[in-house]
Amino acid sequence: MTHASSDRALTSARAIASDLAALASLAADPDRAWLQSLAKGAAGIALLHIERAYAGLAGWDTAHAWLKTATGGDITAADHAGLFFGAPAVAFALHAADGPGRYTRALVTLDTHIAALAHRRVSQAQARIDRKTLPALAEFDLIYGLTGIGAYLLRHAPGGDALEQILRYLVRLTEPLRADGETTPGWWTGHDPSFTSSPAFAGGHGNLGLAHGIAGPLALLALAQRHGAVVDGHADAIGQICAWLDTWRQEGDRGPWWPQWITRDELRTRRPVQPGPLRPSWCYGTPGLARAQQLAGIATGDTARQHTAEHALACCLSDPAQLSQITDASLCHGWAGLFQTAWRAARDARSPEITACLPHPTDRLIQHARPDLAEGTGLLEGRAGLALALHTAASTTPPASGWDACLLIG
């Protein structure tokens, strides 16, 4: 990146951060869901100000103000809590700022509740498998499910029993399941991608995405193996998921791609209806899927898989037809997420192919760094996430706060 581009990225990030800082005094919102949300609310916004404080671009006062807002009142550790909402979300933000041990007492309490939450939800999931019924996406996905809780534990309690139980559950999730007279992957869900029932998904679906699908468990299993957190059947589970993704990999004119999901009819015919690659995003599409498989290749020493994943991402980054489908600047499904995922992948890549493709999406990220191209103020779809990606674009080092660990890309 040129010096001028770096300055533009930092200028845009500073403007966004200044706007959000001004909201801190207004954030005493009675909506507790917003305050303890990493995706849309105060916990996620705090990450931006924490990263800026670490970088020496701002003081810590604003970061602490947002963390105080996020922790005001009751924080839920009920069964619907996950990485992006409730106790794990707030604890993730507190840990990001806890260098001097400032929040140790609060984190001890939160981590006790998070471990109990993990054990409780694993027990429920294991019982569901014993009944031989299909899971919901929210049981295992990154946003709502055990993969997200596992991502938190891998970073902050990697040697604990709670993470071990989640990894054991994910291994079992990869075992085939026979339900309704047919054998499906263990992660096949009985509902549609919107978590509801619809005629187009009468037989449920197999979701491939990183945010809600099987790429999330794959990334967690791979990262856990890289960090030495391994359970029985760990490598076999990674292999099962990778083999399934291989089955559905399509070879297009502009490189490999994967469908977003598979319906029951497509499972029977072994042919996806999706005609080509859709929006290249972190949550769905080639970037997130390629990064998860790159991590799997690295973790298992499978250099062929790593090469295929990196080549797919490089082809995506250089394909105008795919890039033209991006319509916003967000982390979830816009320029910020594409850039952050590619930037992380480039650092681990065996060849310079991805790095060579990075200037274009970086420039597009900076060009689209306008508040009106981000929905709201939050991390996943709002201005906080956009500003954090801009900080990465202006830097040569990974985020000091480790904020993008919640995306399972590094």
Side-chain angles (χ1 to χ4, degrees), residues 48-240:
L48 169 59
H49 299 292
I50 293 167
E51 184 65 28
R52 286 178 58 77
Y54 275 123
L57 298 170
W60 281 95
D61 288 352
T62 302
H64 296 319
W66 275 102
L67 289 171
K68 182 179 180 180
T69 297
T71 56
D74 293 335
I75 299 169
T76 184
D79 288 352
H80 63 289
L83 177 57
F84 286 86
F85 174 72
V90 173
F92 185 91
L94 289 175
H95 269 297
D98 196 43
R102 184 179 288 107
Y103 299 107
T104 300
R105 182 179 299 179
L107 283 167
V108 168
T109 300
L110 284 169
D111 283 343
T112 299
H113 287 291
I114 292 167
L117 169 68
H119 282 290
R120 199 164 63 244
R121 291 191 60 172
V122 167
S123 294
Q124 293 167 1
Q126 295 283 22
R128 189 270 309 162
I129 296 175
D130 290 341
R131 295 194 302 271
K132 295 182 171 55
T133 57
L134 297 175
L137 290 177
E139 177 185 288
F140 66 82
D141 76 0
L142 173 59
I143 303 297
Y144 303 107
L146 282 163
T147 293
I149 298 172
Y152 173 83
L153 293 170
L154 178 62
R155 187 166 178 82
H156 300 298
D161 183 60
L163 175 62
E164 179 183 346
Q165 293 305 310
I166 288 177
L167 295 176
R168 291 186 183 281
Y169 153 72
L170 291 179
V171 168
R172 198 175 179 200
L173 183 72
T174 67
E175 298 172 358
L177 182 66
R178 186 159 184 83
D180 300 327
E182 290 187 275
T183 300
T184 64
W187 58 86
W188 192 270
T189 56
H191 55 72
D192 66 18
S194 298
F195 298 78
T196 60
S197 298
S198 59
F201 294 89
H205 80 292
N207 197 299
L208 279 72
L210 184 55
H212 293 300
I214 196 56
L218 176 62
L220 177 59
L221 288 165
L223 287 167
Q225 182 160 327
R226 288 183 75 179
H227 288 85
V230 179
V231 298
D232 290 343
H234 201 116
D236 289 340
I238 290 175
Q240 286 273 25

Side-chain angles (χ1 to χ4, degrees), residues 289-302:
L289 275 159
R291 177 56 172 162
Q293 290 175 88
Q294 180 196 34
L295 290 169
I298 294 169
T300 60
D302 187 345

Side-chain angles (χ1 to χ4, degrees), residues 17-67:
S18 295
D19 287 345
L20 294 179
L23 297 176
S25 62
L26 305 176
D29 193 310
D31 182 0
R32 289 299 310 151
W34 184 85
L35 296 180
Q36 58 188 309
S37 171
L38 195 68
K40 298 180 179 180
I45 295 170
L47 292 177
L48 169 59
H49 299 292
I50 293 167
E51 184 65 28
R52 286 178 58 77
Y54 275 123
L57 298 170
W60 281 95
D61 288 352
T62 302
H64 296 319
W66 275 102
L67 289 171

Side-chain angles (χ1 to χ4, degrees), residues 282-319:
W282 163 77
C283 57
Y284 283 105
T286 298
L289 275 159
R291 177 56 172 162
Q293 290 175 88
Q294 180 196 34
L295 290 169
I298 294 169
T300 60
D302 187 345
T303 56
R305 178 168 303 283
Q306 185 179 351
H307 171 77
T308 297
E310 291 169 2
H311 178 65
L313 180 53
C315 290
C316 169
L317 294 172
S318 60
D319 182 4

